[in-house]
Amino acid sequence: MTPPPRQRATVHDVVARAGVSRGTVSRFLNGTGYVSADAAARIEAAIEAVGYVRNNAARNLVTQRSMAVGFVVHEPHQLFLGDPNIGSIMLGTNDALADAGYQLVVLVVASDSDAERVSTYLRGGFVDGVVLVSARTHDAVAEAVEKIALPAAVIGQPEGGGSLPHVAIDNHAAAREITERLVATGRRRVGMLASALDRDSGADRLAGFTEALGERFDESLVVTDPLYSYTSGVRGMAELLRRDPSVDGVFAASDAVAAGAIETLRAHGRRIPEDVGIVGFDDSDWAQRCTPKLSTVAQPAHDIGHAAARLVLDQLRSPEAAANVTLPTTVVWRASA
Amino acid sequence: MTPPPRQRATVHDVVARAGVSRGTVSRFLNGTGYVSADAAARIEAAIEAVGYVRNNAARNLVTQRSMAVGFVVHEPHQLFLGDPNIGSIMLGTNDALADAGYQLVVLVVASDSDAERVSTYLRGGFVDGVVLVSARTHDAVAEAVEKIALPAAVIGQPEGGGSLPHVAIDNHAAAREITERLVATGRRRVGMLASALDRDSGADRLAGFTEALGERFDESLVVTDPLYSYTSGVRGMAELLRRDPSVDGVFAASDAVAAGAIETLRAHGRRIPEDVGIVGFDDSDWAQRCTPKLSTVAQPAHDIGHAAARLVLDQLRSPEAAANVTLPTTVVWRASA
């Protein structure tokens, strides 16, 4: 079945309906020149009746605000789909913006041409501010945002700093803390499935792991992968067992990685936690779904998103309100180690 | 560390930098009245240098296009996070829009106030068209879209029709086909974990299941839940076993539901597929992660998103191009039944 074609209402429809001249409608829409109160009322009614979409032009010229805030997600396909944090962060941002009457506008960057198009969009005045998630160093979108001084918050702590204020957790301290807990269960050969070393979160988790092990750190027990994914856990754990079958402790850089690693450990006949203790990071749904349930680091994902939105809204009130925010994490100890 | 405050460039900055009068800059930005070529060049350079955000006003008044297309996701928290189809659909839409130079703008509707704000946003001229995902009957956003005749595509087949063109799969036929395959493995007591009966997908899958069983359909073996979630599978399977411990076949309304059901079956000591055969729907990552791997219906999620974007782009060229699209599904038979 083909629905009937729909015609978008034009200025001509408004003119015809209102029964005033085209020039009067034009002056009304542009907010320039004289329009009688009677004509204005008829034009308003006509706009409503024919469903004419007012150009946001008029609104922006008056308020200089679009009342929308962008949320830029840099994630390749698998990560975007599998990462439960991004969804929670997004909903936290949405809650804070909705309270302030702002519209959340999510922009996905999956390629270089996406990055360029999104930068153009941000320059176009469609949003009053922006939250950047998983920004990388020398990120094209972050550079565009700095250039136009758009109120912004970066989630995560970009390596090398950058001038944009950020909301972050202390990945380094959290990784050190959970690794110390793992070591304290008596593990002798502790490896790490490290992910996304090009991102602050990935690099800091490896640094925290390294610091916790100190003298006992063995570089050959660190297997790296670009993604925080279930599949990288499946593959990484197989590689770790190949390098040293006596591994008895594993810090996986995310819960999804840990879930994949558990699958491989099970396939190799290793009992968890008897033979191998394993811990993750995020306290996402993955942690609850693992058998046994996963010991992990809880990230306050919703709060992170909320804080990032507040940071942007604060800058919209006063540009000096751009203080960085660090939110606390908690080790959640369950049955996997 | 607190980053230095950033000031957003104003028209005053452009005036000061360009060394022309405020009136000249104003005429230039509004596109009204005379501006010399020399002044225009200096203003252009000043805008670039100070990072002034041009109001999209000017652009829209000329092109009547924002070059952006909205993507409205109606999902409660858990669904949005756990549903791999939405991510694939979104990326399919993004690919098709990017090819045409359009910006994808994702709008999340998680509450009634979100629905109202998103409707206002769509009326504001910020987007040239919209893709609606998981729209429900009498949906506020869909009604707003119809009223303003915004080029649109609905993903899924809204009950009762509506005038918006849609992209869908045949959930009814697909559910019937996989249920028939399940019955053909010799199962005698076949139940269904049905989800989201307020949505076309959920209602149609139940209808297909019912038709496949014909005379053998037993309403007491249908357990319903509002969500397509892992947790609804865990709970629903426990309820199904309580109602009839001799159940030997299960059609779960999604792979996530099936994964939860498998966890419960395992906890009750049922072997899969020896004691109970189970099939899902979606062919998402869940299907590959289940042990044993899940027999399921493959949805062409990326193609669905791509087709929806094409449908909107076609309408932007010609409003008569609004033909409904139905995409094929495939039964993928693995080890779970």
Side-chain angles (χ1 to χ4, degrees):
Chain A
M1 189 201 85
T2 302
R6 298 175 307 131
Q7 294 286 348
R8 187 155 181 178
T10 66
V11 172
H12 304 293
D13 300 322
V14 176
V15 169
R17 179 85 178 207
V20 300
S21 75
R22 159 101 204 187
T24 307
V25 172
S26 188
R27 286 198 302 282
F28 176 85
L29 291 173
N30 293 326
T32 56
Y34 176 74
V35 180
S36 73
D38 173 57
R42 283 199 282 167
I43 293 166
E44 281 279 16
I47 285 171
E48 169 73 12
V50 305
Y52 178 71
V53 176
R54 260 179 224 252
N55 212 290
N56 46 358
R59 196 168 69 177
N60 283 349
L61 284 173
V62 175
T63 65
Q64 286 290 332
R65 288 279 166 91
S66 65
M67 294 307 284
V69 169
F71 184 94
V72 178
V73 184
H74 288 79
E75 292 293 342
H77 194 130
Q78 299 88 337
L79 260 186
F80 184 63
L81 308 185
D83 189 343
N85 285 327
I86 289 184
S88 292
I89 291 170
M90 194 184 293
L91 291 167
T93 302
N94 190 47
D95 286 353
L97 292 179
D99 283 349
Y102 278 80
Q103 176 61 45
L104 172 76
V105 159
V106 182
L107 308 164
V108 177
V109 177
S111 68
D112 287 347
S113 73
D114 282 356
E116 196 166 317
R117 197 169 10 77
V118 166
S119 300
T120 302
Y121 182 84
L122 295 176
R123 278 192 293 266
F126 289 97
V127 295
D128 299 330
V130 66
V131 173
L132 302 173
V133 187
S134 308
R136 286 173 176 73
T137 320
H138 307 306
D139 176 67
V141 177
E143 283 174 6
V145 167
E146 289 197 52
K147 175 127 194 224
I148 61 174
L150 194 65
V154 174
I155 290 176
Q157 217 159 343
E159 201 193 324
S163 76
L164 302 175
H166 61 254
V167 177
I169 57 166
D170 190 339
N171 281 288
H172 184 117
R176 191 181 58 218
E177 185 184 353
I178 198 158
T179 304
E180 285 167 352
R181 285 285 296 265
L182 178 62
V183 169
T185 64
R187 310 295 168 174
R188 313 301 304 167
R189 294 289 290 161
V190 179
M192 178 172 176
L193 303 177
S195 292
L197 296 183
D198 61 332
R199 286 163 59 180
D200 61 290
S201 61
D204 288 355
R205 289 174 202 178
L206 176 56
F209 172 80
T210 306
E211 189 178 311
L213 288 182
E215 301 264 307
R216 298 163 67 184
F217 175 73
D218 179 348
E219 200 179 331
S220 75
L221 297 186
V222 176
V223 176
T224 64
D225 192 278
L227 300 180
Y228 285 115
S229 71
Y230 177 87
T231 308
S232 66
V234 170
R235 283 196 300 240
M237 193 66 231
E239 171 65 16
L240 193 53
L241 287 172
R242 197 190 61 72
R243 292 190 193 170
D244 186 349
S246 73
V247 160
D248 62 357
V250 178
F251 170 38
S254 85
D255 293 347
V257 174
I262 286 173
E263 200 58 39
T264 297
L265 286 167
R266 197 181 281 163
H268 283 73
R270 299 297 202 283
R271 292 167 305 158
I272 300 166
E274 295 84 348
D275 302 327
V276 181
I278 180 165
V279 299
F281 204 106
D282 288 342
D283 198 22
S284 65
D285 286 354
W286 284 103
Q288 298 278 359
R289 268 184 234 141
C290 288
T291 315
K293 287 182 182 174
L294 198 63
S295 297
T296 186
V297 173
Q299 284 218 52
H302 191 277
D303 292 351
I304 289 171
H306 203 275
R310 296 295 331 161
L311 196 44
V312 170
L313 294 170
D314 288 350
Q315 292 169 68
L316 285 169
R317 275 194 292 274
S318 157
E320 292 169 38
N324 293 329
V325 177
T326 303
L327 292 172
T329 56
T330 325
V331 167
V332 181
W333 207 255
R334 297 197 181 94
S336 68
Chain B
M1 190 201 85
T2 303
R6 298 175 308 129
Q7 294 284 350
R8 187 152 180 182
T10 66
V11 172
H12 304 296
D13 300 323
V14 176
V15 169
R17 179 83 177 209
V20 300
S21 75
R22 159 100 203 187
T24 306
V25 171
S26 188
R27 286 198 302 279
F28 176 84
L29 291 173
N30 293 326
T32 55
Y34 177 74
V35 180
S36 73
D38 174 56
R42 283 198 282 166
I43 294 165
E44 282 278 15
I47 285 170
E48 168 75 12
V50 305
Y52 178 72
V53 176
R54 262 177 223 253
N55 211 290
N56 47 358
R59 198 168 68 176
N60 283 350
L61 285 173
V62 175
T63 65
Q64 287 291 333
R65 289 280 165 93
S66 66
M67 295 307 284
V69 169
F71 184 94
V72 178
V73 185
H74 289 80
E75 291 293 341
H77 194 130
Q78 299 87 338
L79 259 186
F80 185 64
L81 307 185
D83 188 342
N85 285 328
I86 289 185
S88 292
I89 291 169
M90 192 185 295
L91 290 168
T93 302
N94 190 47
D95 285 353
L97 292 179
D99 284 349
Y102 278 79
Q103 176 61 44
L104 171 76
V105 161
V106 182
L107 307 164
V108 177
V109 177
S111 68
D112 287 348
S113 72
D114 282 356
E116 198 167 317
R117 199 170 9 75
V118 166
S119 300
T120 302
Y121 182 84
L122 295 176
R123 278 192 292 266
F126 289 97
V127 295
D128 300 330
V130 67
V131 174
L132 302 173
V133 187
S134 308
R136 285 171 177 76
T137 320
H138 307 305
D139 175 67
V141 177
E143 282 174 7
V145 167
E146 289 196 53
K147 175 129 195 221
I148 62 173
L150 194 65
V154 174
I155 290 177
Q157 217 158 342
E159 200 191 323
S163 77
L164 302 174
H166 61 254
V167 177
I169 58 166
D170 190 338
N171 280 288
H172 183 118
R176 190 182 57 220
E177 184 183 354
I178 198 158
T179 304
E180 285 167 353
R181 285 284 296 263
L182 178 62
V183 169
T185 63
R187 312 292 167 176
R188 312 302 302 168
R189 294 289 290 161
V190 180
M192 178 171 176
L193 303 177
S195 292
L197 296 183
D198 61 332
R199 285 162 60 181
D200 61 290
S201 61
D204 288 355
R205 288 174 203 179
L206 175 56
F209 172 80
T210 306
E211 187 176 313
L213 289 182
E215 302 264 307
R216 300 162 68 185
F217 174 73
D218 179 347
E219 200 178 332
S220 75
L221 297 185
V222 175
V223 176
T224 64
D225 192 279
L227 301 179
Y228 286 112
S229 72
Y230 177 86
T231 308
S232 66
V234 169
R235 284 195 300 240
M237 193 65 231
E239 171 63 16
L240 194 53
L241 287 172
R242 197 190 61 73
R243 292 190 192 170
D244 186 349
S246 72
V247 160
D248 63 358
V250 178
F251 170 38
S254 84
D255 293 347
V257 174
I262 286 174
E263 200 58 40
T264 296
L265 286 167
R266 199 181 279 163
H268 283 74
R270 300 295 202 284
R271 292 167 306 158
I272 301 166
E274 294 84 348
D275 303 326
V276 181
I278 181 165
V279 299
F281 205 105
D282 288 343
D283 198 23
S284 65
D285 287 353
W286 284 103
Q288 297 278 358
R289 268 184 234 142
C290 288
T291 312
K293 287 182 181 173
L294 197 64
S295 298
T296 186
V297 174
Q299 283 218 52
H302 191 277
D303 292 351
I304 289 171
H306 203 275
R310 296 295 330 162
L311 196 44
V312 170
L313 294 170
D314 288 350
Q315 291 169 69
L316 285 168
R317 274 193 293 273
S318 156
E320 292 168 38
N324 295 329
V325 177
T326 303
L327 292 172
T329 55
T330 324
V331 167
V332 181
W333 206 253
R334 297 199 180 94
S336 68

